[in-house]
Amino acid sequence: MSLGDEHEPGASGGYGGSGHTRTRLPDPDPYGGARRPGRTSSRSLVTVVGVVVLLIAAIAFANRGGDDAPAGAEDAAQPRPAATAASGVTPVKSGFARDEQGAQSAAANYAVALGSAEMFDKAKRDDILRNIITPSRVADFEATLDKAYSPAFNKNVGLNEDGSTPKGYTFVSRTSPIGTKVTEASANTATVEVWCSGLLGLAGENSKTPVTNSWFTITMQLEWTADDWKIVTHSQKEGPAPVPGDDRASSADEMAKAVQEYGGFTYAR
C-alpha cells in the first residue's frame, strides 16, 4: 500500500532525553500456540499503515500522562493501566535535538506511536499525525490511513468493524524499538532505520486472532521543521528476526492481565 511504501509520520511534541535506552522484549512466541494465515501481513499493514500510527500513540500517551487512571480511591498495590516512563514521570516535551542522536530518538518514538492501539481511533490517529508528520504531508497521511483503517481491516485484526474491541477481550497493538541506525544525514534531513518487535492481536479465551509477535525494520525520512524532526516518508520490511525461543505461551488470562497492568512506554530512548 502506498502509505506503507512511501509515508512515515513526522516527529512531534518531542520527548526529551538523550540517553541510550535499550528495551529487551520476550522471544517471539505465537500466543496461544495459534497463528492465522496472513498474520504477518496484518502486522505489516498495522506497522506500514501504522508507522504513522505508532508515532501518534506515543504522543497521545505523553499528553495523557497519568490521567488515564480511574478516578476515585485505589488500592496502592493495584497496578494502574497507564502509560509508563522510565522514571515514572512524563518526559519533558521540548523537542528532539538537531543532530543524529536526536533524529534516532525521534524515529524510535514515532515507531512506538505508529504501532499503538491509538491508531485505530480516528480522532487520536489524526492528532498523532498532526504532531509527527511534516505539515505538507499531513493531509496525504490522513487520507491514506482513513482508507487503510477500514471496517474490513479492523475485522481482520480481531476488532469490531467500527474499531472497537469485542466484549470480553483485550486488544493489543504495541511496537518496541530494538535499535536504530542513521543511513544518511545533513543539517536539515536524516534517514533513520528502526529495528522493531511488535505485538498484535486479541487477548482472551477463544480468540481467533491471538496475540502474536513479529519483527520488522522501519525506514523513516525525517526533516527538521518547526524546531523539531518530522516524518516525510517511510517504508517497512520484515526482519531481522531471531530464532524463536522455547518459552511457554501464556494463557489468555495471563496475556490480558499483562497488557492491562504494564502500560506502554511514552518514549523509547
Side-chain angles (χ1 to χ4, degrees):
M1 110 186 307
S2 61
L3 175 62
D5 296 329
E6 305 176 354
H7 294 193
E8 180 62 356
S12 152
Y15 298 91
S18 59
H20 297 280
T21 300
R22 293 171 181 264
T23 301
R24 186 172 185 279
L25 300 178
D27 292 330
D29 184 26
Y31 171 58
R35 181 180 290 278
R36 294 176 55 206
R39 197 65 184 144
T40 298
S41 60
S42 294
R43 173 67 248 185
S44 297
L45 180 55
V46 171
T47 304
V48 171
V49 144
V51 163
V52 174
V53 178
L54 289 173
L55 175 54
I56 301 173
I59 295 174
F61 277 135
N63 290 334
R64 293 183 324 188
D67 295 333
D68 286 338
E74 276 187 276
D75 180 350
Q78 179 63 38
R80 298 172 62 183
T84 56
S87 64
V89 177
T90 300
V92 177
K93 294 172 285 185
S94 58
F96 297 101
R98 189 175 183 176
D99 55 24
E100 290 190 15
Q101 180 169 290
Q104 291 181 71
S105 293
N109 281 286
Y110 297 161
V112 172
L114 291 174
S116 69
E118 273 71 11
M119 287 299 285
F120 291 80
D121 181 300
K122 178 172 171 53
K124 293 179 180 179
R125 180 171 70 242
D126 288 349
D127 184 53
I128 293 174
L129 295 177
R130 285 191 293 270
N131 281 285
I132 65 174
I133 304 300
T134 194
S136 64
R137 305 302 294 275
V138 172
D140 289 340
F141 271 92
E142 289 182 346
T144 300
L145 288 177
D146 285 346
K147 293 179 180 179
Y149 284 89
S150 64
F153 175 63
N154 289 335
K155 186 175 182 180
N156 187 48
V157 297
L159 299 173
N160 294 320
E161 292 188 349
D162 64 357
S164 61
T165 302
K167 184 177 180 179
Y169 293 91
T170 298
F171 179 57
V172 183
S173 181
R174 293 187 184 181
T175 290
S176 297
I178 303 302
T180 59
K181 178 179 68 174
V182 174
T183 59
E184 187 175 347
S186 68
N188 299 309
T189 64
T191 297
V192 183
E193 293 184 2
V194 186
W195 180 30
C196 308
S197 178
L199 298 176
L200 179 67
L202 283 182
E205 292 294 339
N206 303 314
S207 172
K208 295 182 179 179
T209 56
V211 180
T212 58
N213 175 239
S214 62
W215 295 80
F216 46 93
T217 298
I218 299 169
T219 298
M220 299 183 191
Q221 291 185 352
L222 308 174
E223 72 174 9
W224 185 261
T225 181
D227 295 321
D228 210 347
W229 291 108
K230 302 289 184 180
I231 296 174
V232 179
T233 66
H234 90 276
S235 62
Q236 175 265 338
K237 63 181 181 180
E238 296 182 359
V243 175
D246 57 359
D247 299 303
R248 175 186 64 83
S250 298
S251 67
D253 287 342
E254 289 175 323
M255 182 60 71
K257 183 178 181 181
V259 173
Q260 294 167 356
E261 294 183 350
Y262 294 91
F265 286 105
T266 55
Y267 63 96
R269 70 190 299 273

